[in-house]
Amino acid sequence: MRKIILLIPVLSLLFGCVRPSDMQEKSLHEVAPATWSSAASSRNQSSESNRTFWVEEFTDPDLIKAIRKAWISNPSLLAMAERVLASGEDAIIAGASLYPNARADLSGSRSKRNLIGFNFPNGETSFTTNSFNAGINLSWELDLWGKLRDRRNSAKIRFKGTQAEYLAARLSLAGQIAKAWFEIIESEGQLRISRNTNFTYSQNQSYIQDRYEKGLASALDNDLASTTLSSAKANLARRNRAHLLSIRKLQLLLGAYPDGLMDRNDSMALPFLDSASISSSPTETLSKRHDLKAATLEVQASGIDLGVSQKSLLPSLSIAGGPGSRSGEFENLLEQRFRIWDLTGAMSQPIFQAGRLRAQIRKTKALQGNAIKNFKAAALQAFLEVENSLSGEQLIKEEEVQLEKATKAAESAAKISWDRYQRGVEGIFNTLEAQRRAFEAESRLLSVRKERILNRINLYLALGMNALPEKP
């Protein structure tokens, strides 16, 4: 017995320190380069370094209201919040095993015994007895090796992980709301362009038809004008359909019924953005992004789980017992002379379980490796998102600059071509083509401005920047 007592602190020291090694923790950050490879990161720091909450860049109070509404109304986010609460309760449940369990018991029984081979007076051959028991039963597994404490710590870490996942989903929802918001503004702009196109082509068609009826224009000119107008009307219908889809998408994110009706200012224009530059390094991004925090916490929890499974091979010690009373009459249970108590100690050592415990160790070790690799995959995906957004920022900006030039030139060409057609110097085909190019350039410019805004939002999400402060 003395040898067993001396062995306990040795085993406790050996198995009580099982945690992810420093090398494993270090390996989580080996995937991070020193700097971003995209050229945008080396420019003057103006966007991220001077801004705490990225939604404020767009200076749109209605957008801020929409995001805050989604945070309290989106069903998927609310479901994740319930999951966080459940994870917190798991931590409490796991921690409860560290403490003694106590319960109050009250029981009663009545039994009959038959007596065979005994000659008692009055010929009695059986008798009945009553037994009543009451007491407090206590049980406690002593945490010799820290196994129960580790289970509690693992549950606590996973609770923090679900909190991080919730914050990541909250940030992602803010990004989706902002993207849907600017998609609606862009679709409204596209509708205005389509209406202007229809108005222009309708005037063209009326003018050419009048000339055709007077014999001043050919049937080909009249048919080309009619075809162009019909195509413009079809494009307007398509734009209306896309606009409705954008509104319903936003309504769904807001947790509202997607009826396609929304009371908002239709005259809003897409905001103009300054050049983007960032101050966060790849390593800092690892600590900012909530999804990567959750992945890191899962690595920590899986390392603790491995220690728990290894400690399952060790003996366990438990005690049970408590005060109570026992009597053949129920009303005697509260009397002092019927009071009893008992105390039991037990030590259990697993000997044969058909490989279950060893398999559990191998399983938790594999899950630990899975958690580490999942972290690395998530980190690489985060770096990819940042690099794509940084490089996209420069390319989209250059595209926007060129489209601005193309739009101005196309509008000028369309006016000149229409004037030349009216003077009979140029054919209708060239005139209609010049007008089409002007409207197309304007539409593409609006689309690329929206794409630049969406790319900027993706950049902020990839960097893990907060959307809004917790309180308005």
Side-chain angles (χ1 to χ4, degrees):
M1 181 66 182
R2 229 168 137 187
K3 292 182 178 179
I4 294 177
I5 295 176
L6 291 174
L7 186 60
I8 287 176
V10 177
L11 292 174
S12 181
L13 182 63
L14 180 62
F15 286 88
C17 300
V18 178
R19 293 289 187 275
S21 66
D22 293 339
M23 292 299 294
Q24 288 173 338
E25 292 288 344
K26 184 179 179 181
S27 68
L28 296 182
H29 295 82
E30 289 178 350
V31 293
T35 59
W36 303 110
S37 64
S38 298
S41 61
S42 62
R43 299 178 184 259
N44 58 338
Q45 300 170 1
S46 60
S47 290
E48 185 207 17
S49 56
N50 298 326
R51 184 173 293 105
T52 304
F53 305 106
W54 57 261
V55 178
E56 295 174 351
E57 178 180 6
F58 304 112
T59 60
D60 190 336
D62 291 332
L63 172 59
I64 293 175
K65 291 178 183 178
I67 291 174
R68 292 199 178 278
K69 180 181 178 182
W71 280 350
I72 61 174
S73 304
N74 183 271
S76 298
L77 189 65
L78 295 177
M80 182 163 283
E82 296 295 337
R83 182 186 164 203
V84 173
L85 294 177
S87 179
E89 300 304 328
D90 284 340
I92 295 176
I93 293 169
S97 59
L98 283 166
Y99 302 97
N101 294 323
R103 71 176 188 272
D105 288 337
L106 176 64
S107 62
S109 66
R110 182 178 178 87
S111 60
K112 177 181 178 180
R113 299 289 187 271
N114 293 318
L115 303 174
I116 301 175
F118 296 92
N119 295 322
F120 291 98
N122 301 323
E124 293 289 342
T125 60
S126 63
F127 68 94
T128 58
T129 60
N130 297 326
S131 178
F132 297 93
N133 297 275
I136 303 295
N137 289 323
L138 302 171
S139 61
W140 186 21
E141 181 181 351
L142 302 180
D143 192 21
L144 296 177
W145 325 111
K147 178 176 69 175
L148 303 180
R149 183 180 67 252
D150 285 350
R151 283 178 180 167
R152 179 197 61 186
N153 292 340
S154 175
K156 281 185 175 181
I157 290 174
R158 284 198 165 89
F159 172 51
K160 292 180 181 178
T162 56
Q163 289 178 311
E165 289 174 351
Y166 170 78
L167 292 175
R170 197 166 179 259
L171 180 59
S172 175
L173 178 60
Q176 293 177 64
I177 292 291
K179 290 177 185 179
W181 187 266
F182 292 117
E183 284 174 353
I184 290 175
I185 294 178
E186 187 259 351
S187 68
E188 289 167 351
Q190 297 289 2
L191 276 174
R192 286 193 293 270
I193 294 173
S194 292
R195 293 189 185 106
N196 291 337
T197 304
N198 271 264
F199 178 75
T200 300
Y201 286 166
S202 178
Q203 285 187 321
N204 290 351
Q205 200 273 337
S206 298
Y207 176 79
I208 295 172
Q209 185 176 11
D210 181 63
R211 286 173 58 86
Y212 171 69
E213 291 173 352
K214 292 178 180 180
L216 300 176
S218 66
L220 176 61
D221 289 355
N222 188 53
D223 289 343
L224 285 174
S226 298
T227 300
T228 304
L229 176 61
S230 296
S231 298
K233 289 181 179 179
N235 187 59
L236 178 61
R238 181 174 64 86
R239 292 295 186 186
N240 273 309
R241 180 166 57 88
H243 183 58
L244 282 174
L245 292 177
S246 298
I247 292 177
R248 290 193 174 105
K249 177 182 177 181
L250 179 61
Q251 289 176 321
L252 190 64
L253 292 171
L254 294 173
Y257 183 80
D259 56 9
L261 303 175
M262 182 170 289
D263 184 17
R264 60 181 306 279
N265 185 5
D266 292 344
S267 62
M268 291 184 63
L270 293 174
F272 290 90
L273 301 179
D274 295 330
S275 297
S277 61
I278 62 172
S279 58
S280 295
S281 67
T283 303
E284 289 172 332
T285 300
L286 292 180
S287 62
K288 281 185 176 181
R289 284 187 52 141
H290 297 296
D291 56 338
L292 297 181
K293 290 179 184 178
T296 302
L297 290 169
E298 180 59 30
V299 172
Q300 296 175 6
S302 63
I304 295 175
D305 290 344
L306 176 58
V308 171
S309 63
Q310 291 173 336
K311 292 171 184 178
S312 297
L313 299 173
L314 301 175
S316 60
L317 178 63
S318 61
I319 56 176
S325 59
R326 180 181 299 160
S327 173
E329 301 295 333
F330 183 78
E331 57 270 19
N332 294 336
L333 290 177
L334 298 179
E335 294 187 15
Q336 184 67 32
R337 60 197 178 95
F338 293 100
R339 297 289 173 85
I340 61 172
W341 62 268
D342 66 89
L343 180 65
T344 304
M347 178 172 280
S348 175
Q349 169 64 53
I351 297 176
F352 176 75
Q353 296 200 14
R356 181 178 65 87
L357 297 180
R358 295 289 182 185
Q360 183 66 28
I361 293 174
R362 294 192 296 271
K363 174 185 174 182
T364 53
K365 190 172 183 179
L367 290 176
Q368 183 190 33
N370 174 72
I372 293 174
K373 292 175 176 60
N374 280 341
F375 172 86
K376 291 183 177 180
L380 290 173
Q381 179 63 32
F383 298 152
L384 174 66
E385 293 169 2
V386 176
E387 295 286 2
N388 283 343
S389 297
L390 284 174
S391 60
E393 178 72 25
Q394 299 304 309
L395 296 174
I396 295 174
K397 181 181 178 181
E398 178 63 23
E399 185 179 357
E400 181 181 0
V401 170
Q402 297 302 324
L403 280 174
E404 286 177 349
K405 296 178 180 179
T407 300
K408 291 179 182 179
E411 289 175 351
S412 176
K415 291 178 182 178
I416 294 173
S417 181
W418 179 250
D419 181 65
R420 287 169 60 84
Y421 173 74
Q422 289 179 313
R423 289 188 288 113
V425 180
E426 190 168 315
I428 187 61
F429 180 81
N430 290 337
T431 300
L432 293 176
E433 179 64 16
Q435 290 177 339
R436 185 193 65 78
R437 288 178 180 176
F439 288 124
E440 181 183 354
E442 185 180 3
S443 175
R444 287 181 60 194
L445 177 60
L446 185 61
S447 295
V448 81
R449 282 177 176 165
K450 179 204 69 174
E451 290 302 321
R452 189 179 177 194
I453 292 173
L454 300 190
N455 185 77
R456 182 68 61 84
I457 294 172
N458 288 334
L459 175 60
Y460 291 145
L461 293 177
L463 292 170
M465 287 183 63
N466 292 323
L468 290 171
E470 288 296 322
K471 296 181 180 179

